[in-house]
Amino acid sequence: MNGQKIWTTNAHWADWIFCLVRTSSEGKRQEGISFLLIDMKSPGIKVDPIYLVDGTRTPMRHELNQVFFTDVKVPVENRVGEENKGWTYAKYLLEFERGGQAHGPRLRKASGISRSWAQPARCRRTALGQPELREKMAALEMEIDAIEMNELMFYSSLKTGDAPGTWPRS
């Protein structure tokens, strides 16, 4: 296998990587892709960090990378499913990519803690007495409402047997 994959989160820590690779140029473009699991210790793999604008240069602080593959040998048993059907498998996985994490309750709790810090019991003038802060807190609450709604839609679609990636989105 030859090529590169960019914006790969934590590739410098990974033992394995999955890649969608072109294995055929016949038929529709989506049909010529296979899904491979690749051992990151395989000869021919090079990981280069992508440093962001904060200037961080230590391996402990960066998280994005580009991965280069030069004549990497991947055993056929590391292919997921049938050859040239990788895009079909990837589409299914993408339906679940943004769901199932339940961040809403943790965000709601953190927001409540922040709100309680902003209105100390014994202060005459609270932070929430400032219109700008009240507006930002209200906007935060609306964002958390939207996250919770998306999460509820995700779980509802699983319960009814629908694919989560097919919800109508506006």
Side-chain angles (χ1 to χ4, degrees):
M1 186 180 94
N2 291 291
Q4 76 179 74
K5 186 172 174 22
I6 195 164
W7 305 115
T8 309
T9 305
N10 293 324
H12 57 299
W13 300 114
D15 294 321
W16 291 84
I17 188 171
F18 77 84
C19 294
L20 298 170
V21 300
R22 169 87 32 219
T23 49
S24 174
S25 57
E26 296 179 18
K28 293 180 182 177
R29 290 177 39 159
Q30 299 88 343
E31 293 173 359
I33 296 173
S34 294
F35 193 124
L36 301 179
L37 296 175
I38 304 165
D39 186 338
M40 290 293 285
K41 295 178 196 81
S42 300
I45 295 179
K46 180 181 176 214
V47 178
D48 282 342
I50 297 173
Y51 295 111
L52 302 179
V53 294
D54 69 357
T56 305
R57 297 280 180 204
T58 64
M60 297 294 289
R61 294 277 319 276
H62 87 278
E63 64 181 45
L64 297 173
N65 303 273
Q66 52 186 333
V67 183
F68 296 92
F69 303 90
T70 306
D71 297 326
V72 175
K73 304 286 187 225
V74 182
V76 71
E77 58 266 17
N78 287 20
R79 185 184 68 219
V80 175
E82 296 178 46
E83 185 171 349
N84 300 325
K85 298 286 186 186
W87 184 242
T88 301
Y89 307 134
K91 285 189 304 185
Y92 177 76
L93 292 174
L94 287 169
E95 292 177 1
F96 296 89
E97 180 184 30
R98 300 277 188 246
Q101 314 247 335
H103 292 293
R106 287 191 302 273
L107 292 170
R108 181 77 61 203
K109 182 178 180 181
S111 172
I113 292 169
S114 297
R115 185 173 288 281
S116 71
W117 288 341
Q119 44 184 333
R122 296 188 188 150
C123 285
R124 291 179 189 209
R125 184 171 177 202
T126 68
L128 287 177
Q130 301 173 27
E132 300 86 18
L133 183 59
R134 278 197 319 270
E135 186 176 313
K136 287 181 180 180
M137 293 294 288
L140 176 63
E141 293 294 324
M142 288 187 284
E143 291 288 332
I144 294 171
D145 289 343
I147 289 168
E148 286 180 334
M149 180 58 68
N150 279 329
E151 291 169 351
L152 290 171
M153 288 172 55
F154 174 84
Y155 289 117
S156 176
S157 67
L158 290 180
K159 185 176 181 178
T160 60
D162 294 332
T166 59
W167 323 323
R169 291 178 170 87
S170 53

